[in-house]
Amino acid sequence: MKTTSLIIAGILMILSVNAQTTKWEIDKAHTKITFTVTHMMINDVMGTFEKYSGSFLSDKPDFSDAKISFTIDASSINTDEPTRDKHLKSPDFFNVEKYPEITFVGTSFKSTGNSMYKLTGDFTMNGVANSITLDVKNAGTIKDPYGNTRTGFKLTGTIDRTLWGLKYNSVMDSGGLMIGNDVAIICYVELIKQK
């Protein structure tokens, strides 16, 4: 009986180690990593990161077992204004020469019903790591005309940039901040299941 229990425990351990073997690759033609920050308290400025890579492993159809990690090239920031982008890459903000990458490593991906999830993970930027939680909407899974299995996600959330040491700012005559501290994250991610 004891031997049987040990065998079962061993099988369960092997299954656990081998979990999440199905790889989903990012379709960069249909993926966008964006953010917005308030400017002078009256308008939002949008930016994107154009270079990134990620790992998405999930065997279950509902993605409840998903293991997610993401790496962004901080120097690929683009706000459609070269002078601003140069400033954002400087030590005042992302300090890309010292910290070239922004990373996210998921620690949990929990379904909240109706194709919605809470994605929690360690977000490292400017050399500082903090845990964040994002809301995730899964738009469904389909077969495309070429036989590929695809799925799409929209990730949203808000972080306080000052918690990562991005504190550069100035106060206007009205008393308001020139640049908002809250950064809204909006990511549209399309994945292709690997055969």
Side-chain angles (χ1 to χ4, degrees), residues 36-64:
T36 61
V37 180
T38 301
H39 178 245
M40 293 189 178
M41 301 178 67
I42 59 168
N43 190 30
D44 286 341
V45 172
M46 177 178 283
T48 63
F49 288 99
E50 298 181 343
K51 295 181 182 179
Y52 50 83
S53 61
S55 172
F56 191 102
L57 301 174
S58 180
D59 295 330
K60 293 183 178 181
D62 66 353
F63 301 103
S64 58

Side-chain angles (χ1 to χ4, degrees), residues 2-187:
K2 188 175 181 180
T3 303
T4 303
S5 297
L6 288 173
I7 292 171
I8 292 171
I11 292 170
L12 290 173
M13 187 177 294
I14 291 169
L15 290 173
S16 176
V17 169
N18 292 330
Q20 295 95 15
T21 58
T22 303
K23 184 177 181 181
W24 296 72
E25 281 197 359
I26 297 172
D27 178 0
K28 292 189 176 180
H30 300 99
T31 294
K32 202 79 168 174
I33 310 303
T34 73
F35 63 90
T36 61
V37 180
T38 301
H39 178 245
M40 293 189 178
M41 301 178 67
I42 59 168
N43 190 30
D44 286 341
V45 172
M46 177 178 283
T48 63
F49 288 99
E50 298 181 343
K51 295 181 182 179
Y52 50 83
S53 61
S55 172
F56 191 102
L57 301 174
S58 180
D59 295 330
K60 293 183 178 181
D62 66 353
F63 301 103
S64 58
D65 64 338
K67 299 296 180 187
I68 301 166
S69 63
F70 211 78
T71 300
I72 294 170
D73 179 348
S75 68
S76 72
I77 192 168
N78 181 5
T79 64
D80 293 324
E81 173 49 59
T83 301
R84 179 170 55 217
D85 292 344
K86 183 178 179 181
H87 189 199
L88 288 169
K89 295 174 188 179
S90 78
D92 283 342
F93 290 97
F94 292 102
N95 199 1
V96 299
E97 286 194 11
K98 187 173 182 181
Y99 304 109
E101 293 182 341
I102 299 168
T103 62
F104 175 86
V105 179
T107 54
S108 72
F109 191 65
K110 295 181 179 179
S111 172
T112 57
N114 297 320
S115 300
M116 294 296 298
Y117 300 83
K118 291 287 187 183
L119 172 60
T120 300
D122 297 321
F123 185 65
T124 303
M125 179 169 62
N126 196 34
V128 179
N130 288 303
S131 179
I132 65 170
T133 298
L134 301 173
D135 293 313
V136 182
K137 169 75 173 178
N138 179 219
T141 302
I142 56 103
K143 280 275 190 184
D144 70 18
Y146 312 102
N148 299 307
T149 300
R150 292 174 175 266
T151 191
F153 294 92
K154 180 181 179 181
L155 297 80
T156 58
T158 302
I159 63 171
D160 178 351
R161 64 186 176 93
T162 64
L163 297 179
W164 284 266
L166 278 69
K167 298 181 179 179
Y168 177 89
N169 220 329
S170 57
V171 179
M172 298 185 295
D173 292 340
S174 64
L177 295 176
M178 182 75 71
I179 306 166
N181 289 334
D182 287 343
V183 180
I185 298 170
I186 314 101
C187 302

